[in-house]
C-alpha cells in the first residue's frame, strides 16, 4: 500500500491556513436578517405573560416569536434516540428538550422567545426589551442532593428526579466476593462537569424558498442527515425531502455539535414567517449556558482483592446528571457506553454497577469526547491505585498481575462485552519502557531528598469504539442504526468523487479517506474528491461521532471501491478477450495474467461510460454505494503515564511529562493519528487540572459563564508528549482499524490523579476531587498534616 500507513500531510491544511475555509458565519445570503433569543435568567421559574409589544415597536424589528406561536404553527420538540429502562423493566421518564420552554423554564439559558431584526444589535436590544413575568421556583443543581426525598422536582409529573435506575452485573456474586476478600478499598469520587469548548461556537442560518416550498438549514452540526430527520419528524415537521441541511466547514465538534438544538428548528421556521433568511451565531456566554455539558457523576465505589493481590470484584453506585432535559444520546452515555467498560483491561470475575440517571435544573448533559469512558476509567484506575498502596504493593505490578493476557482473547468480560483482540501486557511493557519508569523513580527519590514533591501515575483503559452492529444497538434500546454509507463515483476521466455519510470537523477525512481510496485504485490522492456535509449531495449518512468514521465510513469506502474494481475486471476481460478469472488488478491497471496485455484503470473508466463495447449484462458507468454495518464494536485501548511536581506551599501542580502507548489497530496516517492523540490527551488534561462547570446551589445561577471563570488548557499547560503504538488488527471491519479520536481522553484524569497522590501519599493525602486545582491540592495537604 503506497498511501495507507504513510504520514501524509493533511490535504485540508492549505485551504484553512490561507483563510479559504467556509464556515457558517462566512456564508452570506441576500436579504438576510438576524436572530437573538430570550433565555431564562432563572434555574427554575414559572413563565407567566410574555410582553412583546415594546420589542415589536422597535425600528428594524421584523418579528418577535414565542412558544405559543411555535405550537400554534404545529412545531414539536426534540426527541431522544436511546431508551434505557430501569432494571425492573420500567420505561425511563423522558423529558424532551423543548424548542421554546412552556409553562416553566428549567435551567439558566432555557429558550423562551426569538427576535428577528435587520441587524444583530437591534435583535439583541429587542430581545432585552421582551418582558417575561417570571415566578422563580425552588431549584436543584447539586447532583447528590437531587435524589434526596425533599429535593425540588425538575419535572413534577414524574414524582421524582430519577429518570431511570439501571443496573449491570451479578449483585449476588459480587457481594460474596467482597465478603471473602482479603482487602477492600473504597472511594467516593466526583467526575466534574465539563463544557466542551470548540474554537467555533455554534451558528446556524435558516432559509425558506416559497417557490419550491423547501427549507434550508446551514448549521455547525456533526450529522446533517440526522438533523434533517429530526427536523422532519420531531420539530419543524416538514417532509424530509423538503428540507436541506448543510454542514460546511465546522471548527471542532467533540460531540457537542451532535445534537438537535432548538435554534436549528426555530431559525428555518422564522425564515418562513418573515420571508427572509435568518442567521445566528452564538456568543460564548450562550455556548456555556445552552450547549450540552458533559460528565458530571457522583460515585461510591469499592474494589475487592484476594490474598495474592488479584481483583476479586468491583462495585459502583453512580448518580449521573442528565440536566434539565434529555438530549438525544444522554440516557445511554452513563450506562451502555460507560459501565460496559467497567472491567477495563482487567480479568475481574464479578462486578455490579447501579446507575441512577437524574434530572437537575442545569444545562442538559450528553456525550463529549470519550462519552462515558473517562468516567468509568477514573473509577477503576483510582480504585486499583489506592488498593495497591493500601496493601503496600507496587501499583504498576498490581495492574500487570490483573491484566487479561493476550492468549485469553477473545475475552468475555463480566459486563457481557467481548474484547476481540488485544495484548494488554505488551502495551503496559511498552509504556514502562517509553517512560523509563525506573529512571523516573530514581529522579523522584533525588527530588524528595531536596524537599521537592514529584509524582508518577499510571492509567490503563479500554473503550468501545467505532459503533457496533445496528441490530445489537436496537436490542439495547437504540432508535437509530449505527451503520453508514459511502458512494464512490468514478468519472469517465478516471477521477473519483467520494460521497461520505460522515462529517469532517477536524478528523482529516479529506486526507485519510483519500489514502484508502487511492491505494484501492492505484491512483494519486489528488485525483480524489471527498464530499461530506450536504444532504442534497449525499444520499444518506449518520455523521461523525463515537470514533466511528474510519471504522464505518472507511470500511464502506473500501467495500464500494472493491466492487468497482471487480466490475472493471469484467469489462477488462471482455475488452482483452480473456476469462474474468485471468484478470489481475494492481498499480492502477488491469492485466492478463501471464501476458504483457494490460489496460489502465483510466482506460477502463472511459470505456465504462462510452458504451461502444461491453459484455452482455454489464451495466454502464462506474459508481457504487456501500452500506456498512460493523460486525461488532471494536476495542482500542492504551496505557498512559503522567509525571507531576507539586508545590507543597501553594498546591500548584505542574504536569512535567506524559507518556502514551495505544493500540488503535491499523494506522491509516500516523501524522493524523498523533494529532488526534495529542488533542484527546489535552482535553483529558483539561478535565484533570482545570475545567469545572459550577452552579450556585441556592439560586442555581451558572458561576462559570465565561472563560474568565471556566478555564480551558492553553499550550503552556501541556508537556511534551511521548507517543508509541501497538497494533493488533480487529476483524470487525475489512480495514482492521479501531476508533482513536476519543481514546486518549480516558487516561489523563486517572493518570494525573494517581501521580498527584503518588507525590503526596507519604504526607497522608489519600484522595481529592477533580479538577486538581492549586487550592484543592493545598487544602488536601493541610488537612492531611492536621
Amino acid at each position: 500500500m503506497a498511501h495507507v500507513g504513510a504520514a501524509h500531510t493533511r490535504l485540508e491544511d492549505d485551504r484553512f491556513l490561507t483563510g479559504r475555509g467556509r464556515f457558517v458565519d462566512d456564508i452570506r445570503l441576500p436579504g438576510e436578517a438576524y436572530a437573538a433569543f430570550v433565555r431564562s435568567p432563572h434555574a427554575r421559574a414559572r413563565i407567566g405573560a410574555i410582553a412583546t409589544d415594546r420589542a415589536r415597536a422597535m425600528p428594524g424589528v421584523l418579528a418577535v416569536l414565542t412558544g405559543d406561536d411555535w405550537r400554534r404553527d404545529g412545531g414539536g420538540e426534540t426527541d431522544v434516540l436511546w431508551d434505557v429502562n430501569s432494571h425492573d423493566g420500567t420505561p425511563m421518564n423522558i423529558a424532551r428538550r423543548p424548542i421554546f420552554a412552556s409553562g416553566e423554564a428549567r435551567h439558566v439559558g432555557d429558550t423562551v422567545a426569538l427576535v428577528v431584526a435587520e441587524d444583530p444589535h437591534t435583535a439583541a436590544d429587542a430581545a432585552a426589551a421582551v418582558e417575561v413575568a417570571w415566578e422563580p421556583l425552588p431549584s436543584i443543581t447539586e447532583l447528590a442532593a437531587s435524589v434526596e426525598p425533599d429535593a425540588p422536582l425538575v419535572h413534577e409529573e414524574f414524582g421524582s428526579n430519577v429518570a431511570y435506575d439501571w443496573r449491570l452485573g451479578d449483585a449476588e456474586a459480587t457481594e460474596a466476593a467482597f465478603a471473602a476478600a482479603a482487602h477492600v478499598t473504597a472511594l467516593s469520587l466526583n467526575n466534574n462537569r465539563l463544557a466542551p469548548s470548540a474554537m467555533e461556537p455554534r451558528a446556524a442560518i435558516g432559509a425558506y424558498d416559497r417557490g419550491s416550498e423547501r427549507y434550508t438549514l446551514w448549521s455547525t452540526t456533526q450529522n446533517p442527515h440526522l438533523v434533517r430527520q429530526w427536523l422532519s419528524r420531531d420539530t419543524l415537521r416538514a417532509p424530509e425531502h423538503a428540507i436541506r441541511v448543510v454542514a460546511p466547514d465546522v471548527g471542532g465538534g467533540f460531540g457537542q455539535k451532535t445534537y438537535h438544538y432548538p435554534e436549528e428548528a426555530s431559525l428555518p421556521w422564522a425564515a418562513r414567517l418573515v420571508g427572509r433568511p435568518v442567521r445566528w451565531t452564538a456568543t460564548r456566554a450562550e455556548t456555556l449556558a445552552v450547549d450540552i455539558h458533559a460528565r458530571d457523576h457522583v460515585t461510591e465505589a469499592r474494589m475487592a482483592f484476594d490474598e495474592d493481590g488479584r481483583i476479586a470484584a468491583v462495585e459502583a453506585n453512580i448518580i449521573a446528571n442528565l440536566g434539565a432535559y434529555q438530549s438525544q444520546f444522554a440516557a445511554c452515555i452513563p450506562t451502555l457506553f460507560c459501565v460496559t467498560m467497567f472491567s477495563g483491561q482487567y480479568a475481574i470475575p464479578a462486578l455490579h454497577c447501579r446507575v441512577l440517571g437524574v434530572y437537575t435544573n442545569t444545562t442538559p448533559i450528553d456525550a463529549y469526547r470519550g462519552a462515558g469512558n473517562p468516567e468509568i476509567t477514573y473509577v477503576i484506575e483510582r480504585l486499583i491505585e489506592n488498593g495497591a498502596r493500601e496493601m503496600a504493593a507496587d501499583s504498576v505490578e498490581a495492574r500487570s498481575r490483573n491484566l487479561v493476557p493476550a492468549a485469553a482473547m477473545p475475552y468475555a468480560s463480566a459486563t457481557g462485552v467481548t474484547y476481540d483482540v488485544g495484548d494488554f501486557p505488551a502495551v503496559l511493557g511498552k509504556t514502562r519502557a517509553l517512560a523509563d519508569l525506573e529512571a523516573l523513580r530514581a529522579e523522584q527519590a533525588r527530588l524528595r531528598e531536596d524537599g521537592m514533591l514529584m509524582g508518577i501515575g499510571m492509567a490503563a483503559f479500554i473503550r468501545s469504539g467505532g459503533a457496533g452492529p445496528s441490530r445489537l444497538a436496537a436490542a439495547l434500546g437504540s432508535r437509530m442504526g449505527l451503520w453508514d454509507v459511502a458512494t464512490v463515483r468514478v468519472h469517465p476521466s478516471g477521477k473519483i468523487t467520494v460521497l461520505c455519510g460522515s462529517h469532517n470537523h477536524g478528523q482529516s477525512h479529506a486526507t485519510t479517506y483519500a489514502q484508502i481510496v487511492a491505494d484501492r485504485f492505484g491512483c494519486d490522492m489528488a485525483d480524489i474528491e471527498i464530499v461530506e456535509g450536504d444532504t442534497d449531495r449525499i444520499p444518506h449518512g449518520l455523521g461523525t461521532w463515537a470514533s466511528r468514521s474510519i471504522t464505518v465510513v472507511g470500511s464502506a469506502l473500501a467495500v464500494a471501491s472493491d466492487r468497482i474494481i471487480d466490475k472493471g475486471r469484467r469489462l477488462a476481460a471482455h475488452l482483452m478477450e480473456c476469462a474474468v478469472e485471468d484478470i489481475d488488478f494492481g498499480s492502477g491497471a488491469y492485466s492478463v495474467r501471464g501476458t504483457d496485455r494490460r489496460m489502465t484503470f483510466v482506460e477502463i473508466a472511459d470505456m465504462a461510460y462510452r458504451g461502444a463495447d461491453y459484455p452482455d449484462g454489464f451495466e454502464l458507468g462506474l459508481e457504487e454505494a456501500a452500506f456498512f454495518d460493523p460486525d461488532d464494536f471494536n476495542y482500542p485501548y492504551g496505557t498512559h503515564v503522567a509525571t507531576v511536581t507539586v508545590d507543597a506551599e501553594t498546591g500548584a501542580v505542574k504536569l512535567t511529562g506524559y507518556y502514551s502507548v495505544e493500540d488503535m489497530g491499523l494506522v491509516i496516517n500516523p501524522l493524523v493519528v498523533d494529532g488526534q492523540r495529542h488533542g484527546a490527551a489535552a482535553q483529558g488534561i483539561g478535565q484533570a487540572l482545570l475545567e469545572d462547570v459550577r452552579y450556585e446551589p441556592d439560586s442555581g445561577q451558572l458561576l462559570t459563564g465565561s472563560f474568565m471563570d471556566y478555564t480551558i488548557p492553553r499550550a503552556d499547560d501541556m508537556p511534551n508528549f511521548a507517543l508509541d503504538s501497538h497494533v493488533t488488527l480487529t476483524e470487525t471491519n475489512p480495514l482492521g482499524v479501531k476508533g482513536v479520536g476519543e481514546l486518549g481522553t480516558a487516561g489523563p484524569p486517572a493518570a494525573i490523579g494517581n501521580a498527584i497522590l503518588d507525590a503526596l501519599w507519604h504526607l497522608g493525602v489519600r484522595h481529592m476531587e477533580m479538577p486538581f486545582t492549586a487550592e484543592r491540592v493545598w487544602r488536601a495537604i493541610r488537612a492531611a498534616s492536621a
Side-chain angles (χ1 to χ4, degrees), residues 5-213:
H8 285 286
T9 56
R10 297 193 339 145
L11 301 179
E12 301 95 324
D13 283 345
D14 181 67
R15 184 166 62 87
F16 288 129
L17 294 173
T18 56
R20 290 180 288 122
R22 185 168 170 81
F23 299 86
V24 171
D25 204 56
D26 296 322
I27 297 167
R28 290 291 180 266
L29 303 177
E32 61 188 12
Y34 293 79
F37 292 89
V38 180
R39 306 191 190 272
S40 172
H42 304 285
R44 182 171 173 236
R46 189 166 290 114
I47 302 171
I50 302 177
T52 61
D53 290 347
R54 190 159 66 94
R56 292 179 195 275
M58 295 175 66
V61 172
L62 303 176
V64 181
L65 304 169
T66 68
D68 288 342
D69 300 316
W70 171 260
R71 286 177 285 277
R72 275 195 300 267
D73 211 19
E77 57 191 2
T78 62
D79 202 359
V80 300
L81 283 182
W82 214 295
D83 293 314
V84 175
N85 296 333
S86 293
H87 66 99
D88 60 0
T90 302
M92 67 178 176
N93 294 321
I94 299 176
R96 296 174 176 84
R97 190 173 193 172
I99 304 304
F100 296 95
S102 173
E104 279 188 21
R106 291 183 167 87
H107 69 91
V108 171
D110 215 352
T111 306
V112 176
L114 162 64
V115 173
V116 182
E118 295 283 0
D119 63 79
H121 304 295
T122 299
D125 289 345
V130 173
E131 298 174 359
V132 182
W134 299 108
E135 182 187 338
L137 299 170
S139 63
I140 180 69
T141 55
E142 292 293 293
L143 180 55
S146 66
V147 296
E148 296 297 328
D150 58 348
L153 297 181
V154 181
H155 300 278
E156 293 182 350
E157 65 271 25
F158 297 148
S160 167
N161 286 324
V162 176
Y164 56 75
D165 180 350
W166 184 87
R167 302 177 191 183
L168 181 70
D170 188 329
E172 187 175 328
T174 302
E175 190 57 42
F178 274 100
H183 181 77
V184 174
T185 188
L187 284 171
S188 297
L189 301 159
N190 291 345
N191 209 279
N192 41 321
R193 176 181 277 241
L194 305 180
S197 302
M199 284 196 293
E200 181 193 20
R202 279 196 306 116
I205 307 169
Y208 182 74
D209 183 82
R210 296 187 184 280
S212 63
E213 297 183 328

Side-chain angles (χ1 to χ4, degrees), residues 296-574:
D296 204 355
H297 291 186
V298 172
T299 303
E300 296 288 336
R302 57 181 184 153
M303 180 176 282
F305 298 85
D306 66 15
E307 61 277 2
D308 296 321
R310 297 190 181 277
I311 303 171
V314 64
E315 179 183 64
N317 289 288
I318 299 172
I319 304 174
N321 207 335
L322 299 175
Y325 309 105
Q326 276 202 39
S327 189
Q328 272 79 33
F329 299 92
C332 66
I333 300 304
T335 53
L336 298 169
F337 284 87
C338 177
V339 178
T340 51
M341 294 291 102
F342 198 15
S343 189
Q345 294 186 20
Y346 307 114
I348 302 176
L351 57 81
H352 185 258
C353 186
R354 179 188 186 189
V355 180
L356 294 180
V358 302
Y359 293 114
T360 60
N361 293 114
T362 62
T363 300
I365 292 279
D366 213 300
Y368 168 53
R369 196 172 191 172
N373 199 235
E375 296 93 310
I376 204 64
T377 296
Y378 186 63
V379 172
I380 194 168
E381 287 299 305
R382 289 289 298 107
L383 285 171
I384 197 169
E385 182 78 17
N386 271 37
R389 291 182 180 279
E390 290 163 4
M391 295 184 293
D394 181 87
S395 61
V396 177
E397 293 304 322
R399 288 178 173 85
S400 179
R401 184 179 299 116
N402 284 283
L403 292 175
V404 175
M409 297 293 176
Y411 175 77
S413 82
T415 67
V417 168
T418 297
Y419 308 153
D420 58 340
V421 294
D423 193 339
F424 305 154
V427 167
L428 178 64
K430 280 189 173 183
T431 310
R432 294 182 72 152
L434 180 68
D436 195 350
L437 279 181
E438 289 71 21
L440 289 177
R441 288 297 180 198
E443 180 185 3
Q444 181 185 39
R446 288 194 303 272
L447 290 174
R448 190 166 291 180
E449 288 178 359
D450 295 333
M452 299 178 64
L453 300 175
M454 174 186 172
I456 305 161
M458 176 177 281
F461 50 91
I462 184 169
R463 71 165 276 116
S464 58
S470 297
R471 288 174 178 167
L472 173 61
L476 294 174
S478 176
R479 300 184 187 179
M480 60 174 284
L482 301 183
W483 52 268
D484 221 303
V485 60
T487 300
V488 177
R489 179 179 297 159
V490 179
H491 302 288
S493 63
K495 307 298 184 184
I496 299 167
T497 293
V498 177
L499 307 169
C500 302
S502 52
H503 185 274
N504 178 32
H505 40 276
Q507 292 83 358
S508 310
H509 292 172
T511 304
T512 53
Y513 287 174
Q515 288 179 259
I516 294 170
V517 176
D519 270 351
R520 260 5 194 225
F521 290 105
C523 65
D524 292 334
M525 290 170 61
D527 293 338
I528 299 164
E529 174 195 27
I530 306 297
V531 179
E532 298 176 289
D534 187 339
T535 60
D536 270 11
R537 291 198 67 183
I538 298 157
H540 203 71
L542 299 183
T544 294
W545 39 272
S547 303
R548 65 191 299 275
S549 295
I550 207 70
T551 298
V552 186
V553 177
S555 294
L557 285 176
V559 171
S561 299
D562 290 346
R563 288 177 186 170
I564 289 174
I565 291 168
D566 286 343
K567 184 178 180 180
R569 184 177 281 110
R570 290 177 56 209
L571 182 57
H574 171 80

Side-chain angles (χ1 to χ4, degrees), residues 665-682:
L666 177 70
V667 175
I668 303 295
N669 186 321
L671 185 67
V672 167
V673 165
D674 284 355
Q676 290 276 18
R677 295 173 69 186
H678 286 160

Side-chain angles (χ1 to χ4, degrees), residues 591-663:
S591 59
V592 180
R593 191 176 303 121
T595 75
D596 60 357
R597 298 167 63 195
R598 68 193 297 273
M599 292 184 72
T600 67
F601 180 75
V602 173
E603 291 172 323
I604 292 297
D606 178 59
M607 292 302 293
Y609 283 95
R610 188 179 302 179
D613 189 6
Y614 58 94
D616 292 341
F618 182 87
E619 185 180 69
L620 290 172
L622 287 180
E623 180 172 327
E624 292 286 341
F627 284 73
F628 183 78
D629 201 8
D631 295 333
D632 198 352
F633 290 90
N634 55 72
Y635 297 96
Y637 60 95
T639 300
H640 289 186
V641 167
T643 60
V644 301
T645 57
V646 180
D647 187 321
E649 295 301 316
T650 67
V653 175
K654 176 68 175 178
L655 182 60
T656 57
Y658 206 86
Y659 308 87
S660 164
V661 180
E662 293 169 349
D663 179 352

